[in-house]
């Protein structure tokens, strides 16, 4: 939906309206982000509204999890509301719609599907017995305390077509005759999602409703409610569904933790990388770039660039994260200033049980930055910096490819000697070790491999001299001596 669809000078007001019935779903996070991008791109207002009228399904834990997830994403909002604090408004609106003759009381014992958000067609379109009840009888039964649901009196037999232009999916239409008489109030007096949502959207002067495609068919009901309220309908834009590799809608029940935002946080995604990834699920910039900071996405973002096709989140049982998400995370990690990355890595190192001074983490960070894709991987990439004792390794690793244990021993013993006196900084270590190689008549490879394995416990490790400088003389010498004794075990 182009910003031009706003009247001149008017700033958009959008809302993110999660129902606190579970953790923050990746699809909800994407809806939040797209609303945020639209609001910020157009200098509008971002409203956060908790759709918490479904008292049976709401939980405090879910409210916490939603806020925790949103705070982690690090994107802000300007106004905050709770539907449960606005029930009077919803009920008054329902009364006003009823007073206009646009709704009727349904005294049938509670219907399943009263609060049907899914838009699925009920088994009935309207309840003739109740729709045609005279006002006198309806009033009499209500006064006698008989419980009732309040239903919208959808126009029947009029050939009326309900229409709207969706900002993503284009022209939409449906015959009013095909829309059931949906509930506005449930028999316990609570507003349904449809009523509460539209009343609040009208009252909060929401100009653009940007939400999941699963709400597209609900929009026809919402158009009727706005009409009943005498309020102009906002513009609508529905976002393509997020689906699993097999094409099924991403769901917590079916796909488990991969659907929860906190799973990404706990695995060590950076919020900016995760946001970048979510933006590419259904939206793409015209220039096909993928690695984008959120500020840049905000500048580029338009709803016209949102695709209609379902967006696939790729994962397998062994590999729970989409390869693109992981790649983007590695890119964002590398783009972070070292001190910020150090701060991000710290909780993961602490969780892995490493006690490390901030200065040490700061020194290690540039050495592992190119070697990790997720923050969590720092624990295994950097363990030898923090562990007092190296994990067991195969002494054969100490032996250079074209050499034997005797050569490895010679290298290590010579290194032990020269390292006892050299200064432990990058430049001195490099000069000393190159000189040592020359003394022994060795190339860099056979010289450095035994030392690398001795101090890191593996061949695949960060640059050697920087690593040794961080580890310090004492640790390096101790580990080299230990390596020498390990060589003894090789027959
Ligand atoms: N509470 C609804 C949901 O979580 C909001 C839908 C809407 O944006 O209207 O799906």
């Amino acid at each position: 939906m182009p910003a031009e669809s706003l009247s001149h000078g008017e700033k958009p007001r959008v809302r993110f309206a999660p129902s606190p019935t579970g953790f923050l779903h990746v699809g909800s996070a994407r809806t939040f982000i797209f609303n945020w991008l639209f609001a910020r791109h157009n200098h509008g207002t971002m409203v956060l509204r908790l759709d918490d009228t479904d008292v049976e399904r709401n939980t405090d834990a879910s409210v916490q999890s939603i806020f925790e997830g949103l705070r982690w994403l690090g994107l802000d909002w300007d106004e905050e509301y709770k539907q449960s604090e606005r029930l009077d408004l919803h009920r008054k609106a329902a009364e006003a719609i009823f007073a206009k003759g646009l709704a009727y009381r349904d005294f049938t014992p509670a219907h399943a599907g009263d609060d049907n958000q899914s838009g699925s067609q009920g088994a009935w379109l309207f309840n003739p017995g109740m729709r045609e009840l005279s006002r006198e009888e309806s009033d009499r039964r209500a006064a006698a305390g008989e419980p009732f649901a309040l239903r919208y009196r959808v126009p029947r037999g009029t050939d009326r077509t309900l229409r709207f232009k969706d900002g993503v999916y284009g022209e939409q239409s449906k015959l009013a005759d095909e829309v059931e008489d949906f509930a506005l109030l449930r028999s316990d007096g609570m507003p349904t999602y449809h009523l509460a949502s539209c009343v609040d959207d009208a009252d909060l002067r929401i100009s653009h409703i940007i939400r999941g495609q699963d709400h597209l068919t609900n929009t026809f009901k919402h158009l009727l409610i706005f009409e009943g309220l005498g309020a102009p309908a906002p513009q609508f834009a529905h976002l393509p569904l997020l689906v699993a590799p097999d094409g099924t809608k991403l769901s917590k029940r079916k796909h488990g933790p991969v659907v929860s935002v906190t799973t990404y946080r706990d695995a060590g995604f950076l919020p900016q990388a995760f946001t970048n990834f979510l933006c590419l699920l259904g939206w793409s910039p015209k220039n096909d770039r993928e690695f984008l900071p959120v500020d840049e996405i905000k500048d580029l973002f338009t709803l016209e660039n949102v695709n209609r096709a379902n967006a696939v989140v790729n994962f397998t049982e062994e590999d729970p994260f989409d390869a693109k998400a992981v790649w983007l995370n590695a890119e964002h990690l590398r783009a972070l200033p070292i001190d910020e990355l150090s701060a991000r890595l710290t909780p993961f190192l602490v969780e892995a049980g490493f006690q490390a001074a901030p200065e040490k983490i700061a020194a290690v960070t540039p050495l592992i930055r190119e070697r990790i894709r997720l923050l969590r991987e720092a624990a295994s990439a950097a363990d030898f910096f923090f562990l007092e004792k190296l994990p067991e390794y195969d002494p054969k690793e100490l032996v250079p490819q074209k050499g034997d244990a005797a050569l490895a021993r010679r290298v290590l013993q010579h290194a032990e000697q020269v390292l006892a006196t050299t200064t432990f900084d990058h430049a001195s270590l490099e000069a000393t070790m190159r000189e040592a190689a020359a003394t022994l008549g060795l190339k860099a490879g056979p010289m450095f491999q035994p030392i690398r394995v001795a101090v890191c416990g593996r061949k695949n490790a960060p640059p050697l001299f920087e690593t040794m400088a961080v580890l310090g003389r004492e640790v390096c010498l101790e580990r080299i001596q230990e390596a020498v004794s390990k060589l003894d075990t090789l027959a």
Side-chain angles (χ1 to χ4, degrees):
M1 183 161 15
E4 305 84 77
S5 64
L6 297 164
S7 15
H8 184 68
E10 203 183 317
K11 303 270 185 260
R13 289 176 57 84
V14 298
R15 87 304 195 265
F16 171 60
S19 304
T21 55
F23 51 53
L24 185 65
H25 186 291
V26 288
S28 304
R30 188 200 49 175
T31 300
F32 171 79
I33 293 168
F34 280 32
N35 274 284
W36 183 92
L37 291 166
F38 184 77
R40 296 294 175 249
H41 180 95
N42 295 299
H43 310 287
T45 302
M46 173 79 187
V47 171
L48 175 69
R49 187 184 79 207
L50 270 190
D51 280 4
D52 59 347
T53 55
D54 190 348
V55 279
E56 278 144 40
R57 295 176 62 225
N58 293 338
T59 64
D60 282 346
S62 167
V63 175
Q64 297 314 323
S65 145
I66 288 170
F67 277 99
E68 210 183 298
L70 294 180
R71 272 193 290 265
W72 176 69
L73 287 176
L75 303 176
D76 56 346
W77 54 91
D78 308 304
E79 297 174 19
E80 195 175 305
Y81 304 92
K82 265 188 178 176
Q83 284 197 318
S84 57
E85 289 168 1
R86 303 166 59 84
L87 296 174
D88 274 354
L89 191 71
H90 307 142
R91 289 187 187 125
K92 285 208 176 83
E95 274 160 30
I97 293 174
F98 178 70
K100 289 181 188 168
L102 294 174
Y104 61 90
R105 298 188 186 106
D106 180 351
F107 296 94
T108 333
H111 279 282
D114 266 1
D115 197 11
N116 180 4
Q117 288 198 21
S118 69
S120 68
Q121 200 69 259
W124 51 282
L125 285 178
F126 61 101
N127 185 335
M130 292 297 158
R131 189 176 157 114
E132 310 313 339
L133 219 58
S134 71
R135 181 63 193 266
E136 292 70 40
E137 182 172 358
S138 173
D139 287 350
R140 186 182 54 70
R141 288 172 71 166
E146 202 177 324
F148 60 86
L150 193 72
R151 292 190 179 279
Y152 201 95
R153 190 187 294 277
V154 178
R156 299 287 164 217
T158 58
D159 282 344
R160 176 160 174 213
T161 302
L162 301 166
R163 296 177 198 282
F164 67 98
K165 182 162 189 240
D166 189 83
V168 172
Y169 289 87
E171 293 295 343
Q172 303 292 316
S173 61
K174 187 170 186 170
L175 282 174
D177 254 335
E178 289 171 4
V179 177
E180 82 259 24
D181 284 358
F182 54 93
L184 298 172
L185 291 177
R186 304 191 313 181
S187 47
D188 61 3
M190 287 298 278
T192 60
Y193 152 69
H194 300 302
L195 176 75
S197 181
C198 295
V199 169
D200 285 337
D201 288 336
D203 183 65
L204 299 172
R205 291 171 291 108
I206 299 302
S207 62
H208 294 71
I209 293 183
I210 303 170
R211 63 185 170 194
Q213 192 261 7
D214 47 336
H215 287 290
L216 193 104
T217 53
N218 284 335
T219 306
F220 298 107
K221 293 175 187 165
H222 298 180
L223 291 175
L224 290 167
I225 299 179
F226 286 114
E227 191 176 288
L229 294 172
Q235 312 228 21
F236 294 90
H238 289 86
L239 306 175
L241 282 187
L242 298 192
V243 295
D246 66 359
T248 57
K249 187 178 162 191
L250 265 197
S251 85
K252 169 178 152 189
R253 198 174 35 78
K254 193 151 182 246
H255 304 108
V258 72
V259 176
S260 167
V261 169
T262 44
T263 303
Y264 289 79
R265 178 198 64 188
D266 298 344
F269 279 87
L270 291 170
Q272 52 270 53
F274 182 63
T275 300
N276 189 166
F277 171 65
L278 288 185
C279 287
L280 299 177
L281 292 174
W283 173 87
S284 48
K286 289 217 173 72
N287 58 19
D288 276 345
R289 277 179 59 209
E290 293 199 308
F291 169 70
L292 291 160
V294 71
D295 267 344
E296 220 172 298
I297 300 179
K298 178 200 77 189
D299 292 342
L300 296 170
F301 187 82
T302 63
L303 287 167
E304 289 98 88
N305 291 352
V306 175
N307 315 310
R308 295 181 190 179
N310 291 345
V312 183
V313 178
N314 283 302
F315 57 89
T316 60
E317 215 143 294
E318 303 77 59
D319 206 349
F321 301 121
D322 192 302
K324 187 181 281 180
V326 175
W327 170 76
L328 282 169
N329 203 57
E331 295 291 308
H332 280 274
L333 281 181
R334 280 161 210 161
L336 271 191
I338 292 295
D339 54 344
E340 247 181 77
L341 181 55
S342 288
R344 290 276 184 189
L345 288 174
T346 302
F348 288 87
L349 295 171
V350 169
E351 200 192 305
F354 303 138
Q355 309 287 333
E359 309 79 63
K360 179 143 183 200
I361 296 178
V364 167
T365 301
L367 299 182
I368 59 165
R369 171 161 76 160
E370 304 293 326
R371 317 181 69 80
I372 57 172
R373 301 163 313 152
L374 301 175
L375 298 169
R376 183 174 69 182
E377 292 169 354
S380 55
D383 58 351
F384 58 86
F385 284 110
F386 304 110
L387 290 169
E388 207 143 295
K389 196 169 157 27
L390 283 182
E392 275 309 315
Y393 61 88
D394 183 351
K396 286 197 201 90
E397 300 276 295
L398 292 161
V399 180
Q401 220 178 19
K402 286 185 197 143
D404 53 15
L407 174 67
R409 179 187 305 274
R410 247 191 321 134
V411 166
L412 291 173
Q413 284 175 335
H414 187 71
E416 200 184 328
Q417 258 175 39
V418 295
L419 291 175
T421 52
T422 192
T423 311
F424 258 67
D425 62 40
H426 176 185
S428 316
L429 283 164
E430 176 155 12
T432 307
M433 299 309 287
R434 290 199 188 281
E435 200 183 301
T439 310
L440 297 177
L442 291 175
K443 292 208 172 113
M447 178 74 202
F448 298 154
Q449 179 184 326
I451 301 171
R452 176 175 287 117
V453 174
V455 297
C456 304
R458 69 191 72 145
K459 282 187 206 154
N460 189 353
L464 181 59
F465 310 119
E466 283 102 320
T467 300
M468 291 171 76
V470 172
L471 285 170
R473 189 191 319 273
E474 202 184 320
V475 170
C476 287
L477 288 179
E478 210 174 89
R479 290 184 182 178
I480 288 172
Q481 282 153 14
E482 198 177 323
V484 173
S485 19
K486 272 182 185 286
L487 282 173
D488 292 342
T489 64
L490 287 183

